Amino acid sequence: MNEEAHAVLRDDPVMAALVDRHDPYVEPDWNEYERLCISIINQQLSTASAAAVRERVFDLLEGDVTPATVLAADEAALREAGLSRSKVEYVRNAARAFQENDYTRAGLASYSDDEVIDLLTEITGIGAWTARMYLLFVLERPDVLPLGDLAVRRGIEELYADGEDLTRAEMREIAEPWRPYRSVATRYIWAEYESD
């Protein structure tokens, strides 16, 4: 897929430069539930703060981040690790949902991107941004453009508008030529944003 994606992205001179300059942003091999917890932790936090909280929560759970361990963990200890009261509730809501349904790549293979977003956002604490992160990182869907992500928006503004504000409609227009590989383009935008 990457060769095809690169061929499409290279039609955009700005994106062609990113492809030449960076390896695409890649994450460690987290399981589905871990990745969802990470997205919940990341909500409304800076990258550095979120990474610190994630590390403390994962240490508390001794690296065994599963629905069962999260539900069994002491609430005070989770809060001490840096989770707000609402985020403790959100990771536990997600844990219960994972125990009841199959949110794996295989389990959601027949669902469209919009259906996955609808399904995940039924879980209290999971909004559209978190659901799109799940589509992108866990389900590895090829054409996700998460404009709810501040780094993606700032990255597009820096690359395509010299840092001037753009509307989401303008960003979607800029991203239109990247179809059907907007997820790959997003990973390059993150790589550029994180290199600054």
Side-chain angles (χ1 to χ4, degrees):
M1 178 175 93
N2 268 358
E3 277 176 36
E4 276 175 48
H6 287 162
V8 169
L9 297 181
R10 282 183 187 284
D11 284 341
D12 174 336
V14 174
M15 201 47 73
L18 294 190
V19 170
D20 290 339
R21 203 160 50 235
H22 299 288
D23 289 324
Y25 175 83
V26 177
E27 290 200 317
D29 197 16
W30 286 305
N31 69 41
E32 290 94 342
Y33 179 70
E34 283 176 322
R35 187 59 186 83
L36 192 57
C37 285
I38 289 163
S39 288
I40 291 169
I41 289 167
N42 289 353
Q43 290 169 5
Q44 298 172 322
L45 287 181
S46 71
T47 307
S49 299
V53 172
R54 182 192 73 226
E55 205 167 294
R56 290 195 301 268
V57 170
F58 279 41
D59 283 350
L60 172 70
L61 299 171
E62 297 175 351
D64 185 26
V65 183
T66 65
T69 60
V70 167
L71 291 170
D74 179 64
E75 182 172 348
L78 288 170
R79 299 216 350 103
E80 217 168 275
L83 291 183
S84 64
R85 183 168 279 116
S86 55
K87 285 190 181 179
V88 170
E89 186 188 325
Y90 298 164
V91 294
R92 289 186 164 170
N93 290 343
R96 285 186 281 272
F98 264 69
Q99 287 179 331
E100 291 163 17
N101 297 297
D102 184 358
Y103 293 105
T104 62
R105 200 176 305 167
L108 295 174
S110 65
Y111 288 75
S112 71
D113 291 356
D114 287 341
E115 287 169 337
V116 171
I117 291 170
D118 288 345
L119 192 69
L120 288 171
T121 54
E122 285 174 12
I123 303 168
T124 302
I126 295 180
W129 175 81
T130 304
R132 284 194 175 88
M133 293 298 110
Y134 199 80
L135 280 171
L136 213 150
F137 289 114
V138 176
L139 304 182
E140 296 184 340
R141 299 289 174 93
D143 198 35
V144 179
L145 181 68
L147 292 180
D149 189 83
L150 184 62
V152 172
R153 291 199 310 275
R154 291 264 163 84
I156 292 172
E157 288 169 346
E158 288 296 323
L159 291 162
Y160 291 87
D162 291 326
E164 295 294 315
D165 289 347
L166 293 170
T167 65
R168 291 192 190 203
E170 288 169 325
M171 292 181 198
R172 275 190 281 277
E173 203 172 302
I174 287 165
E176 196 56 33
W178 309 338
R179 283 180 185 272
Y181 300 110
R182 291 179 301 174
S183 296
V184 181
T186 295
R187 288 171 182 262
Y188 280 106
I189 291 166
W190 271 320
E192 172 77 5
Y193 186 78
E194 293 198 342
S195 72
D196 287 348

